[in-house]
Amino acid sequence: MNALLRAWDTPFGIPPFGEIGDDDFEPAFEATLAEARAEVRAVRDDPEAPTFANTIEALERAGRGLGRVAAVFFNLAGAHTNDRLEALQRAVSPKLAAFRAEMASDPALFARVDALMRDAATLGLTDEQARVLELYHRMFVRAGARLDPPGRARLGAIVERLATLGTTFSQNVLADERDWALPLGEEDEDLEGLPDWLVAAMAEAARERGRDGHVVTLSRSLIAPFLALSPRRDLRETAFAAWIERGAGGGETDNRGVIAETLALREERARLLGYESFAAFKLEPEMAKAPEAVRALLTAVWEPARISAEADAAALAEIMRADGVNDALRPWDWRYYSRIRQKREHDLDEAEVKPYFALDAMIAAVFDVASRLFGLAFRPVEVPLYHPDARAWEVTRDGRHMGVFVGDYFARSSKRSGAWCSTFRSQRRLDGEVRPIVVNVCNFANAGAGEPCLLTFDDARTLFHEFGHALHQLMSDVTYEFVSGTSVARDFVELPSQLYEHWLGVPEVLERHARHVRTGAPMPRDLLERVLAGQTYDTGFQTVEYLASALVDLDLHDGPAPADPEAAEAATLARIGMPDAIVMRHASPHFLHVFAGDGYSSGYYSYLWSEVMDADAFAAFEEAGDPFDREVAARLARHILAAGGSREPEVLYRDFRGRMPGPEALLRKRGLAPPADAA
């Protein structure tokens, strides 16, 4: 029997990957999609008057089989794909989108939910049930349940087409990343200035692609250090051009037409539902509520960030001229000369730091912090997984099983770029306790067999960030999966992840875990102090490249869809005064957050919105005088991590902190606040 369609008699209910073949997915989707449709129809056609149990709880149960298959499939589609899975993803994504649109716009089903919403005050619901009912009702309304039949039909067609476009966009970027590699010769000049760990990682990347020698790939963990360390300006330019041209190189993988159609359909969708723009539609249920609030925050941070970046650019240009380069500072020069400046001004060199940031040591640090804050324990377990690189731990708290955590850390050609957190199963208590199976996926450069993987400080920050998302899932404690874990507003979901990053900068964490990979010696105190002092180095650059992407995302969706998105992007960059030596962190043709689905569309600002809260939230520990203060950690666990989306995010944050924050702590954290005496 198809392993995807039977009960899984495996440890912790982990999917039986060894028994699942690529050809199992299509029939499994067909069977479970038909089953889900039948389950939804049964709710819709129930002759009994609607109750919370026979409508909302019944909808919570409907489609569980489909969700189980989809969780396995889409995790593989991102982390370990192949031609067969990519073809199936193109075929199944619009079908799933059509099913969701069909369900959420069904007038008879909506009538049951609407009746419950009208009578909510008399139903005796718990606070969580009232919240779940409210969110279901909002989902139906925003899916077009109140439209007339032609409107519902058109909206369904739009949603289905957008799913196809999102899959196409994602696969085009993955193809460009997979197919490009810059071979480096064995001559001294090609490898000049590159440390042993990077040379080894480039050799491993070549081996993984069936090549001899060394290659630079478009994995951030390879290309970013290459741009920072290679003195060969010609090679840096070649690599940088490929990096920023993903999705815009012409041919079958060019995403510019996909973007134009996507933006037009999103605008049409919003207008069908009565909104003046897609941004207005998308932001209504978020904390920001409206494009104006987003623009105000982005603009408030942009100017100090741009001023800081321009001053840094002038300093780097001076170093470049002294290096004998008679040219303007270009984007492929920034990281190289910034590294030289950092060494000169802060006596900090990545080659000196990396041996203290071995991957396994940083995983131990991530777990140790979670143990000290929340009492979690992590035990390695041998379970079937989808790739030899992946590994798993059982997570417990005071002996209670909290879930399973899977870490998949190394870059490979079958994995899309970036880092993310996902689940094979989410937490819920309806019909009995179900604990989550959570996965963190990263793209660190693998040093090869027998060699330790060494991280940059930024890589280690990514590790902490994604585990913050994992904690949001692992510590979830709600009844209904609809509000479980990270099922929260988009501009609130980054709070736990960005907050967790702060513990990487706690001296006692580094003193305990940042130990030399060969000798085991702790990081010398002077180096530790230099690392911590350097956390705000180059934040002007980092903030500008991020904000430019967020502002372009907002502009593309706030108003009529541009006929020429490329020209619209250029116009935004010109309007805000984008520095010449910096490019957007994500140009539109490879902006996966925004165009590989609509998760972060009009929402890339969310990282900054959440950062306002994370800076203020960590300040609660600082005010308590202890980064591991038990009382503050307990409030964080209760009101943020365990609560999921069971209440409005503003309520959750106020319950934790007592108030909402302003941007001041964020500016201080990024080193962009004016000096205290500069009034």
Side-chain angles (χ1 to χ4, degrees):
M1 184 178 181
N2 188 323
L4 290 163
L5 296 176
R6 61 169 171 76
W8 293 343
D9 185 19
T10 55
F12 311 109
I14 293 276
F17 291 105
E19 303 173 39
I20 298 172
D22 292 349
D23 292 337
D24 292 332
F25 283 106
E26 187 170 10
F29 271 121
E30 290 176 358
T32 56
L33 194 54
E35 178 184 67
R37 279 200 166 93
E39 289 167 341
V40 170
R41 282 197 301 270
V43 179
R44 181 196 64 190
D45 298 337
D46 189 338
E48 298 292 328
T51 65
F52 189 86
N54 70 19
T55 302
I56 302 302
E57 290 187 342
L59 287 175
E60 281 283 285
R61 297 183 181 98
R64 281 182 180 169
L66 176 61
R68 189 174 76 154
V69 172
V72 176
F73 176 78
F74 284 105
N75 273 291
L76 290 180
H80 191 42
T81 192
N82 56 45
D83 291 344
R84 177 76 182 92
L85 294 182
E86 287 186 355
L88 182 56
Q89 187 181 7
R90 292 191 294 272
V92 78
S93 292
K95 293 180 181 179
L96 294 177
F99 164 67
R100 289 191 293 267
E102 165 193 312
M103 181 195 80
S105 63
D106 186 310
L109 193 56
F110 174 62
R112 296 181 68 87
V113 176
D114 197 37
L116 290 173
M117 191 66 188
R118 288 195 305 270
D119 297 337
T122 66
L123 299 178
L125 303 178
T126 67
D127 289 345
E128 183 181 337
Q129 288 173 329
R131 174 70 171 163
V132 169
L133 173 58
E134 176 190 1
L135 293 175
Y136 263 97
H137 188 267
R138 186 172 75 186
M139 177 188 75
F140 276 90
V141 172
R142 290 172 60 81
R146 285 176 169 162
L147 295 177
D148 60 16
R152 289 198 303 273
R154 177 56 188 159
L155 190 61
I158 290 171
V159 169
E160 189 172 346
R161 177 59 180 163
L162 284 172
T164 297
L165 291 170
T167 299
T168 300
F169 186 96
S170 177
Q171 292 186 354
N172 285 346
V173 175
L174 176 59
D176 281 0
E177 292 173 345
R178 182 177 55 221
D179 296 343
W180 188 91
L182 174 64
L184 300 181
E186 300 303 318
E187 300 84 1
D188 288 344
E189 59 267 25
D190 275 12
L191 301 177
E192 179 187 351
L194 303 181
D196 291 345
W197 61 263
L198 182 54
V199 173
M202 293 191 302
E204 176 64 18
R207 187 203 62 76
E208 200 260 339
R209 285 163 174 73
R211 300 188 181 196
D212 294 327
H214 304 81
V215 298
V216 180
T217 72
L218 297 180
S219 166
R220 180 175 287 270
S221 288
L222 272 185
I223 194 168
F226 180 78
L227 292 170
L229 294 164
S230 175
R232 287 284 301 276
R233 195 176 190 231
D234 58 332
L235 296 180
R236 296 201 312 266
E237 181 177 1
T238 298
F240 188 84
W243 196 21
I244 65 170
E245 288 172 6
R246 289 169 292 158
E252 293 183 356
T253 61
D254 196 298
N255 272 330
R256 286 171 289 191
V258 175
I259 292 169
E261 186 179 356
T262 297
L263 292 172
L265 289 174
R266 284 175 176 171
E267 182 196 3
E268 185 182 357
R269 177 186 181 185
R271 293 191 181 279
L272 270 172
L273 293 167
Y275 296 86
E276 61 182 24
S277 70
F278 183 78
F281 161 73
K282 191 68 188 300
L283 293 172
E284 183 187 55
E286 311 298 338
M287 292 184 75
K289 304 302 181 190
E292 296 76 24
V294 173
R295 199 177 302 280
L297 174 62
L298 298 179
T299 303
V301 181
W302 170 260
E303 193 57 23
R306 188 189 64 79
I307 291 171
S308 175
E310 292 281 20
D312 289 341
L316 299 184
E318 284 293 326
I319 298 172
M320 188 175 75
R321 282 191 289 272
D323 197 31
V325 180
N326 187 23
D327 191 10
L329 183 72
R330 306 294 185 185
W332 51 90
D333 297 318
W334 191 291
R335 288 172 174 82
Y336 180 72
Y337 289 104
S338 180
R339 178 189 61 83
I340 293 173
R341 182 189 180 202
Q342 185 179 38
K343 175 63 175 173
R344 290 181 183 177
E345 297 184 3
H346 300 275
D347 194 21
L348 200 60
D349 191 329
E350 193 171 278
E352 183 184 10
V353 173
K354 283 196 73 164
Y356 294 95
F357 287 91
L359 172 61
D360 285 350
M362 290 300 101
I363 293 172
V366 160
F367 290 170
D368 183 37
V369 170
S371 176
R372 296 179 68 184
L373 285 171
F374 309 117
L376 299 180
F378 300 84
R379 179 179 66 89
V381 291
E382 293 295 329
V383 293
L385 295 171
Y386 57 88
H387 192 276
D389 286 348
R391 38 187 157 158
W393 294 263
E394 182 191 10
V395 185
T396 58
R397 187 182 193 185
D398 297 328
R400 175 195 176 197
H401 175 74
M402 297 294 289
V404 173
F405 173 70
V406 177
D408 179 5
Y409 297 113
F410 298 129
R412 53 179 174 266
S413 57
S414 63
K415 182 191 290 188
R416 68 175 171 88
S417 62
W420 63 93
C421 177
S422 186
T423 61
F424 288 103
R425 186 177 69 207
S426 295
Q427 180 270 333
R428 67 173 187 267
R429 288 200 305 269
L430 182 65
D431 304 324
E433 177 77 0
V434 172
R435 298 307 305 173
I437 301 170
V438 187
V439 58
N440 277 178
V441 183
C442 298
N443 271 278
F444 303 136
N446 193 344
E451 291 297 316
C453 173
L454 303 181
L455 306 182
T456 66
F457 192 77
D458 282 344
D459 287 338
R461 183 182 289 116
T462 295
L463 193 76
F464 271 73
H465 178 101
E466 297 307 333
F467 194 74
H469 284 308
L471 283 174
H472 207 174
Q473 300 281 6
L474 289 165
M475 297 189 67
S476 180
D477 188 21
V478 297
T479 299
Y480 301 99
E481 188 173 342
F482 203 67
V483 292
S484 175
T486 57
S487 298
V488 299
R490 182 66 63 179
D491 47 12
F492 189 70
V493 75
E494 298 298 336
L495 168 60
S497 54
Q498 293 179 180
L499 175 58
Y500 206 65
E501 293 177 30
H502 287 262
W503 276 273
L504 177 61
V506 171
E508 62 186 279
V509 173
L510 293 179
E511 288 166 354
R512 180 180 296 192
H513 297 285
R515 293 180 172 267
H516 196 281
V517 68
R518 300 297 181 193
T519 68
M523 183 183 289
R525 186 70 193 188
D526 71 308
L527 179 56
L528 173 63
E529 291 172 354
R530 283 182 276 138
V531 167
L532 295 177
Q535 287 190 85
T536 58
Y537 178 74
D538 227 11
T539 50
F541 166 82
Q542 295 163 12
T543 307
V544 161
E545 64 164 5
Y546 162 76
L547 286 174
S549 295
L551 285 162
V552 166
D553 168 40
L554 185 64
D555 283 358
L556 289 177
H557 293 98
D558 188 20
D564 185 348
E566 197 170 21
E569 177 183 294
T572 293
L573 297 178
R575 174 178 59 80
I576 63 178
M578 184 73 170
D580 293 336
I582 305 177
V583 300
M584 298 167 60
R585 182 172 298 176
H586 306 288
S588 297
H590 56 260
F591 206 164
L592 290 163
H593 285 79
V594 171
F595 293 109
D598 74 353
Y600 280 87
S601 56
S602 301
Y604 194 60
Y605 77 92
S606 299
Y607 292 93
L608 194 69
W609 192 277
S610 291
E611 192 174 346
V612 171
M613 291 180 285
D614 84 62
D616 179 70
F618 191 71
F621 288 91
E622 293 175 323
E623 291 161 12
D626 181 359
F628 296 98
D629 184 85
R630 287 181 176 272
E631 183 180 340
V632 179
R635 292 204 313 269
L636 177 65
R638 182 169 65 254
H639 297 301
I640 305 294
L641 298 176
S646 59
R647 284 170 286 166
E648 287 284 356
E650 293 90 342
V651 174
L652 295 175
Y653 193 82
R654 285 196 180 96
D655 286 347
F656 162 64
R657 193 69 169 101
R659 54 168 174 73
M660 292 301 292
E664 297 79 17
L666 176 149
L667 292 171
R668 289 194 300 272
K669 171 189 169 187
R670 287 185 172 244
L672 299 173
D677 58 354

